[in-house]
Amino acid sequence: MKPVSRLLPVLFSLLLFAPPVFAEPLPRVNPKSVGLSSSRLDRLDQSFQSWMEKGQVAGAVTLLARHGKIAQVGVYGWQDREAKIPMREDTIFAIMSMTKPVTSLAVMMLYEEGKFLLTDPVSKYIPEFADMRVIIPGSEISAKPPTEPAKTPITIRHLLLHTAGLSYGSEGHALLYRNAKIAELRNPAHTIRDMTVALAKLPLLYHPGEQYRYSLSDDVLGYFVEVVSGMPFDRFLEERIFRPLQMKDTFFYVPGDKQSRVAAVYRSGPSGLEKLPPSNKLTVPPAERRHFSGGGGLYSTAGDYARFCQMLLNGGELDGVRLVSRKTVELITANGIGDIDPGLREGGDKWGLGGVSVRTAHIPDAAILSPGTYMKSGAYTTQFWVDPAEDMFGIFLIQLQPLDLDLIHRVMVLGTQAIEE
């Protein structure tokens, strides 16, 4: 199957007159007009052809944009290999943790409206988080570990920076989260309030503000948005972000008439790729769709997420619609954790308020990205990165478990090396 990007120079004039595949896409141009080399972009196509031939991936969609215009779209392989359904530009992917920047943006929109301060205790809005306790460092893992009072309350800023003391059930939290059935509370039958209240009953892994730990903070923030806005989280995102940005294929639950466009998820193992069963979210009746995970619940397309990225790159505005100010975008895409080492592997070395990792310095063993680049990956090997210095962003969507950071770094290199001016 031939990737679209290899054909762009030939089909450019046709694309100008063809009906767009994406809903309200960004303008498309020949790569050379925005300083990208078509011959160097061929390396991206050749790499995907090789990965598919080796059975490393079933299919993917890539998108590169510079100076506000789409310069490359790569459509590779199969949306569903076993069913012989080709990948499409408008294939819908579970973007998992690429949901986090959307959730953070929703929080910061309310922040700009004066609804709260970043230094406010979370308990001011979610009382269950008052008087939190912390597992005493060095304690043996048990169902009832020794605890001590938290030195400081959890703030909204702590949640945004993943320094609140929560986790995804790692280390000292594993048994506690399992016994509290936190994983079960993250399914469609339960609300995000149900999970948040359960989390608030458990001790923290460390004192707020002292460490970074990737966590369920964004799920809590989704419920926080509900409390502060007075709207269900899914409706807030739809009315305040997706509709204004014309993101018509982004949602927590894929409508029935669009489910034929959902990409299959594959697991990589010793015997090759194994297709996983469809998510139960695809079969939940509309009346029972109750859980809206701010940390990893969204589905989207490359075209939709491109509009989100371009809005950020524009400083909070797209096509005359402003969601947040330029100053807020600068705040949420800067290092927010100071000297704390988050141990990030996805290409950034720090963490920002916007649910993104941030490149603050040259990292020898990571992708060739400019300082100031911010990015986020998802558990199914999805990734976006925004490089303000080059006025450029890239999106890479695939459905592959476990998360393949090596592949993500290669794609970011292949996209960035195409810059020729």
Side-chain angles (χ1 to χ4, degrees), residues 44 77 81 107 126 141 151 156 174 184 189 229 235 260 266 275 279 300 333 373-374 383 387 395 403 410-411 417:
L44 187 59
R81 187 181 61 180
V107 172
I126 308 175
I141 296 175
K151 297 177 185 178
I156 310 305
E184 287 87 338
S229 70
R235 187 154 65 89
S260 63
Y266 291 84
K275 180 181 171 182
S279 169
S300 192
T333 58
T373 298
Y374 50 93
Q383 177 90 353
D387 187 338
I395 297 168
L403 171 64
R410 289 173 186 267
V411 173
Q417 61 83 38

Side-chain angles (χ1 to χ4, degrees), residues 240-260:
R240 299 290 306 275
I241 298 178
F242 302 150
R243 194 177 301 165
L245 290 182
Q246 301 179 44
M247 296 170 65
K248 299 178 180 179
D249 284 326
T250 304
F251 12 62
F252 286 106
Y253 295 89
V254 181
D257 62 347
K258 297 188 178 185
Q259 289 191 8
S260 63

Side-chain angles (χ1 to χ4, degrees), residues 71-127:
Q72 185 269 359
V73 177
V75 180
Y76 308 96
W78 304 99
Q79 176 180 295
D80 186 321
R81 187 181 61 180
E82 287 67 23
K84 302 299 182 186
I85 301 174
M87 190 64 76
R88 299 167 36 158
E89 286 188 33
D90 63 350
T91 290
I92 296 170
F93 295 79
I95 61 172
M96 305 304 285
S97 284
M98 282 170 59
T99 303
K100 288 178 171 66
V102 179
T103 298
S104 295
L105 180 72
V107 172
M108 297 307 291
M109 291 171 74
L110 294 168
Y111 169 72
E112 284 196 340
E113 295 172 7
K115 303 288 189 183
F116 64 90
L117 295 176
L118 294 176
T119 52
D120 282 349
V122 175
S123 59
K124 182 177 179 180
Y125 308 93
I126 308 175

Side-chain angles (χ1 to χ4, degrees), residues 272-290:
L273 294 179
E274 173 192 0
K275 180 181 171 182
L276 299 180
S279 169
N280 65 344
K281 288 180 64 177
L282 298 176
T283 59
V284 176
E288 299 176 20
R289 298 172 179 176
R290 305 177 64 203

Side-chain angles (χ1 to χ4, degrees), residues 94-332:
I95 61 172
M96 305 304 285
S97 284
M98 282 170 59
T99 303
K100 288 178 171 66
V102 179
T103 298
S104 295
L105 180 72
V107 172
M108 297 307 291
M109 291 171 74
L110 294 168
Y111 169 72
E112 284 196 340
E113 295 172 7
K115 303 288 189 183
F116 64 90
L117 295 176
L118 294 176
T119 52
D120 282 349
V122 175
S123 59
K124 182 177 179 180
Y125 308 93
I126 308 175
E128 289 82 0
F129 278 105
D131 304 317
M132 296 298 292
R133 299 187 67 83
V134 180
I135 298 172
I136 294 175
S139 302
E140 291 187 7
I141 296 175
S142 70
K144 291 186 178 181
T147 63
E148 60 189 10
K151 297 177 185 178
T152 183
I154 299 173
T155 66
I156 310 305
R157 182 181 179 86
H158 290 147
L159 288 178
L160 287 165
L161 293 175
H162 289 250
T163 58
L166 303 173
S167 75
Y168 266 115
S170 58
E171 300 174 3
H173 267 163
L175 184 58
L176 291 170
Y177 276 38
R178 186 163 61 248
N179 290 344
K181 301 185 184 304
I182 298 301
E184 287 87 338
L185 292 173
R186 298 180 67 212
N187 66 49
H190 299 277
T191 67
I192 47 178
R193 182 185 186 280
D194 295 336
M195 190 216 66
T196 297
V197 170
L199 275 180
K201 295 177 181 177
L202 304 178
L204 303 174
L205 201 56
Y206 53 84
H207 291 279
E210 292 190 355
Q211 297 182 42
Y212 170 96
R213 182 62 56 90
Y214 200 56
S215 70
L216 289 166
S217 287
D218 285 276
D219 292 76
V220 175
L221 286 169
Y223 177 55
F224 171 76
V225 169
E226 291 193 341
V227 171
V228 174
S229 70
M231 296 171 61
F233 185 46
D234 64 325
R235 187 154 65 89
F236 184 93
L237 296 188
E238 173 62 28
E239 295 184 6
R240 299 290 306 275
I241 298 178
F242 302 150
R243 194 177 301 165
L245 290 182
Q246 301 179 44
M247 296 170 65
K248 299 178 180 179
D249 284 326
T250 304
F251 12 62
F252 286 106
Y253 295 89
V254 181
D257 62 347
K258 297 188 178 185
Q259 289 191 8
S260 63
R261 291 161 47 201
V262 175
V265 180
Y266 291 84
R267 177 185 290 127
S268 178
S271 58
L273 294 179
E274 173 192 0
K275 180 181 171 182
L276 299 180
S279 169
N280 65 344
K281 288 180 64 177
L282 298 176
T283 59
V284 176
E288 299 176 20
R289 298 172 179 176
R290 305 177 64 203
H291 196 88
F292 311 113
S293 169
L298 286 175
Y299 289 82
S300 192
T301 63
D304 266 19
Y305 214 87
R307 295 188 63 79
F308 182 77
C309 292
Q310 190 63 54
M311 176 273 300
L312 292 174
L313 192 52
N314 289 351
E317 177 272 337
L318 182 64
D319 293 342
V321 176
R322 178 164 293 281
L323 298 190
V324 290
S325 71
R326 174 179 59 82
K327 298 298 295 181
T328 292
V329 174
E330 291 173 357
L331 174 65
I332 65 179

Side-chain angles (χ1 to χ4, degrees), residues 347 349 359-371:
D349 61 333
R359 172 68 65 85
T360 62
H362 175 65
I363 305 176
D365 60 349
I368 49 172
L369 305 174
S370 308

